[in-house]
Structure formats: C-alpha cells, structure tokens
Amino acid sequence: MSGIAGNRDYRLLWTGQVVSEAGFSTTTIAFPLLVLALTGSAAQSGLVLGAVAISQLVAGLPAGALVDRWPRKRIMLGCEAVQAVAAGGLVLALYRGAAEVWMLVVVAVVMGLSRALFEPAEEASLPRLVAEEQVPSAVAMNAARTSAGQLSGTALGGFLFAVGRAVPFLFDVVAHVFAFVSLLFVRLPRRPERAEDRPPKHLGREIAEGLRWVWTRPPLRATVLCVVSLNLFFSAYYLVIIVLATERGVSSGEIGVMAAMLGAGGILGSLAAPYLHRRISAYGLVIGVFWALTVLTPLAVFVHNGYVMGALFAAVAFLPPAANTAIATYQLLSTPDGLRGRLGGVLGVTGGLAAAAGPALGGWLVEALPAVSAVLTCTGSIAVVTLATTFSRTLRGLPAAPRVRELEETSGQ
C-alpha cells in the first residue's frame, strides 16, 4: 500500500471522493427525513430515494459508452460541478421556504445520472492513473473509501438535519466543491488516440459492443456472475439477519452497532485485500471467499446476542473485498482502454440490479419462511454458487491479466 500512498494524483482523487461520498450519503439520509417533514408521506420518501437508484440504473449502459467517447477527467469534473449546483439550488429553495417534492426528485435524478457517469469514468482511469502493479491497491482503497464515506455520511446525515433542514444539503455542496477542486489538480495521462476511434459510432452499437465484449469472453462473464451472486445473496442475508435479530429481542441500539461493525469489517477487508491479492491466486481468493461465507452464514442461527451477531457480520463483510479486488483487477487489465467505460457500465447495471433484488429477495424470504429457515435458505443458495465456482473450469484457469501496453498493441479497439 506504501507505493500507492506516494502517488500524488491518486491520493488527490481518493481524498476528494471520500468527501464526495460522505456528502452523497448524508443527502441520502436527509432526503426521506425532508420529504416526511414536508409531506408526512412515507411513499413519497421512497419515490425520492428510488429516483437516485432508478436513474443510475437506466443511464448505466449509455453512460459507459459515453465514458469511452468523452475525456474522462472532464466527465468527472462535470459530474461534481452539476451535483454541487443541484444541491445548492435545493439549499436556496429551503432557505426561501419554497422547497417541493418535485425539486427533491430532480436533485435525486441528477445525483443518479452523475454517479452513472462518474463511476465508470473513474474505474476506467485507474490503469492510467496508477502503475499496473498498483491497480489492486487502488481498487481496494476505492472500496474502503466507499465504505468509509457511507459510514461517516450516514452518521452525519441525521445529526445535520437536526441542526437545520438545509444543513445536510449545504454539506453536500461543500463536499462536491471540495472534490471538484481536488480533481482539478489530478494529472490524468491522455488516452492513446486511434484513427478508427475518432468518428463516433452509433450509441446503441457502442453499447452492444460493450455487452458483447463481456459476454463473449468466458473469464469476464464468469467473474461478473460471481460479483452478481455476492451482491445478491449478501444483501438478502443482511435483511434476513436484521429480522432474525429483531425477533430475538435485540435492541435497536445493538442493531445499529451490528450495522457499524458490518461497515468496519468491509473497510478492514478492503485494506487487507491488496496483501491477500499478492499472495493468493484470483481463483483461490474467489473460491476461498465463497467457502468461508458458506461456513459463516449459518452460524447466525445459533447467535442471540447483538454484539456477537455484529462480530459475525464483521467477519462476513471482511471477506468479499479480497475476491472483488482480484475480480475487478482482472476485469480492468484484461479490457482495452477504449472499452473500459462500457465495462464499468455493464458492471454498474448488473451490480445495481443485484443489490436492488437482494433486499427484495430477503424480504420475500422472511415473509414466506421463519427467520431461521430464511437464513438457511440464503446459506444453501450461497453453497450452490460456491460449488459452481469451485468446479468452474473457466475460473480455475483464470489467466493472468495481459499487461496494459500489450493489450493495447494487440487489440483492434
């Protein structure tokens, strides 16, 4: 990790984005509180929050194609600027007492569209921003940054809203301005220009080209399915465990500690991921994580104490970042620069769909089954995926990712 710590440009990007992530999470907590204060309607609160996720999912594939067309640093700067302006407009409306729900929906859509563009632009830029051997550390540190921003933003959101309705959104403005200024000083090497890439193609064909790139390469396809499985079953398991803890009389305070321990486990796992990546093969990390989850997840059936459950949460959350780092590093370094934006768009959409479907699956399980049975059903599903990954010839033979220069020299992109 020491190597990447000395990378000035990555450090600037990372610092700006941890603040930006905290601002986004603060706003996410403040949105439903503000809607409830304005209207008293829980349904409209859900509408505003849903607007962020839905707009990000809908825009995901086109955004990935645009990231491969446009200068990536300008995309990231534009996203931060637009979010600062949108949040600033809401602050002004609140100050004047003129805020309405439709304004919140507009701000939420702007946030979702901005994230749909920013995330693949940043991911696609990593192999040019850091040395090739630093890519695993950068991927892991970005995951830790997201977890840290979410934890701090979630804690800040309720507190700042209690100070004043506009305060969380004012903090979000400051966060995006800070991230914008940090990005101004990031020196992102220019992408190689190829004559065949200069005339823009039809956007639909570019999107199809990105989907085809992922689907027709078995290692990429297999790693995407691994990530989707992790997101789906982990988010379902989380909801099932919360219901199980509530049924067993665990207090809301202890449940809050459980959630914090889950976040802390994810951060520690992200910090450990580069170390594990250097010592264990990608296949070993993937199957190791799935087997560990298969063993750990059913232990919740025997736990009745919230703090012990939190420790189990932390252990479970500690594991996935290592597999995700190995997978994301392979995906980035085995994809030509001209397709990395579309790769990010595909990954963002599939991951987002899995993350959205997971809680719905968990909710259905706890409605249809006793909580203990729901836990065991989640475990059984993870075990099926574990066996599939263990005996997958594609994953077992996962090749080392080609070096970036070699890939660009041999690729027709």
Side-chain angles (χ1 to χ4, degrees):
M1 201 75 74
S2 57
I4 200 169
N7 186 315
R8 166 195 174 275
D9 297 303
Y10 177 75
R11 195 169 62 244
L12 279 169
L13 175 63
W14 191 92
T15 303
Q17 287 310 300
V18 77
V19 176
S20 180
E21 191 70 45
F24 172 77
S25 297
T26 298
T27 302
T28 302
I29 294 299
F31 268 146
L33 296 175
L34 179 57
V35 175
L36 287 171
L38 292 174
T39 69
S41 170
Q44 292 189 58
S45 296
L47 171 67
V48 174
L49 282 181
V52 178
I54 292 170
S55 58
Q56 187 170 357
L57 281 175
V58 170
L61 294 178
L66 293 174
V67 164
D68 286 334
R69 277 189 186 184
W70 298 340
R72 288 164 184 166
K73 182 177 176 179
R74 291 182 188 175
I75 289 174
M76 292 188 282
L77 285 168
C79 289
E80 293 296 349
V82 166
Q83 288 180 92
V85 170
L90 182 57
V91 169
L92 185 60
L94 287 167
Y95 176 75
R96 292 180 172 177
E100 297 183 25
V101 172
W102 69 265
M103 296 179 185
L104 275 71
V105 173
V106 170
V107 174
V109 169
V110 168
M111 290 168 59
L113 295 177
S114 297
R115 289 175 74 84
L117 276 166
F118 189 99
E119 290 176 2
E122 183 190 19
E123 291 166 6
S125 300
L126 283 183
R128 296 206 167 275
L129 193 64
V130 304
E132 193 167 310
E133 62 273 11
Q134 294 176 341
V135 170
S137 296
V139 169
M141 287 298 293
N142 281 6
R145 177 193 78 196
T146 300
S147 297
Q150 288 173 347
L151 277 176
S152 59
T154 300
L156 272 173
F159 170 76
L160 293 178
F161 190 82
V163 175
R165 291 181 180 180
V167 177
F169 305 99
L170 181 60
F171 174 78
D172 193 34
V173 173
V174 173
H176 290 302
V177 170
F178 179 85
F180 179 89
V181 174
S182 296
L183 267 168
L184 283 175
F185 294 96
V186 172
R187 297 169 300 198
L188 182 60
R190 294 186 65 180
R191 298 164 57 193
E193 292 187 9
R194 289 172 293 275
E196 64 266 31
D197 285 343
R198 287 171 192 160
K201 303 174 186 177
H202 186 275
L203 188 64
R205 285 198 293 271
E206 290 180 332
I207 293 171
E209 187 180 4
L211 290 167
R212 189 164 54 248
W213 170 263
V214 173
W215 187 252
T216 58
R217 282 154 180 82
L220 277 179
R221 188 171 67 239
T223 52
V224 168
L225 292 175
C226 283
V227 172
V228 168
S229 300
L230 275 174
N231 285 344
L232 178 68
F233 293 119
F234 191 82
S235 52
Y237 179 79
Y238 174 77
L239 180 61
V240 168
I241 294 304
I242 295 298
V243 173
L244 178 64
T246 303
E247 287 185 359
R248 291 179 170 176
V250 175
S251 68
S252 58
E254 287 185 34
I255 289 177
V257 172
M258 285 167 52
M261 293 175 78
L262 176 73
I267 293 173
L268 293 174
S270 298
L271 296 176
Y275 175 87
L276 296 172
H277 183 267
R278 288 193 297 269
R279 285 158 177 77
I280 305 174
S281 69
Y283 172 68
L285 281 174
V286 172
I287 65 165
V289 166
F290 274 109
W291 274 109
L293 291 175
T294 301
V295 171
L296 286 174
T297 50
L299 297 181
V301 171
F302 308 102
V303 177
H304 291 74
N305 179 278
Y307 299 111
V308 177
M309 190 80 80
L312 177 62
F313 257 4
V316 169
F318 180 84
L319 298 167
N324 284 334
T325 295
I327 288 171
T329 299
Y330 172 78
Q331 290 170 336
L332 275 175
L333 296 183
S334 63
T335 299
D337 185 86
L339 278 165
R340 285 190 186 128
R342 280 165 281 182
L343 171 71
V346 172
L347 297 178
V349 169
T350 53
L353 287 172
L361 174 62
W364 179 81
L365 286 174
V366 295
E367 285 288 332
L369 301 169
V372 169
S373 299
V375 170
L376 295 177
T377 301
C378 285
T379 298
S381 302
I382 293 172
V384 170
V385 178
T386 299
L387 291 173
T389 56
T390 301
F391 295 106
S392 169
R393 292 182 180 179
T394 300
L395 290 175
R396 194 181 308 130
L398 196 66
R403 295 186 65 80
V404 173
R405 289 190 183 88
E406 295 172 359
L407 184 65
E408 288 169 354
E409 288 170 1
T410 58
S411 171
Q413 297 303 321

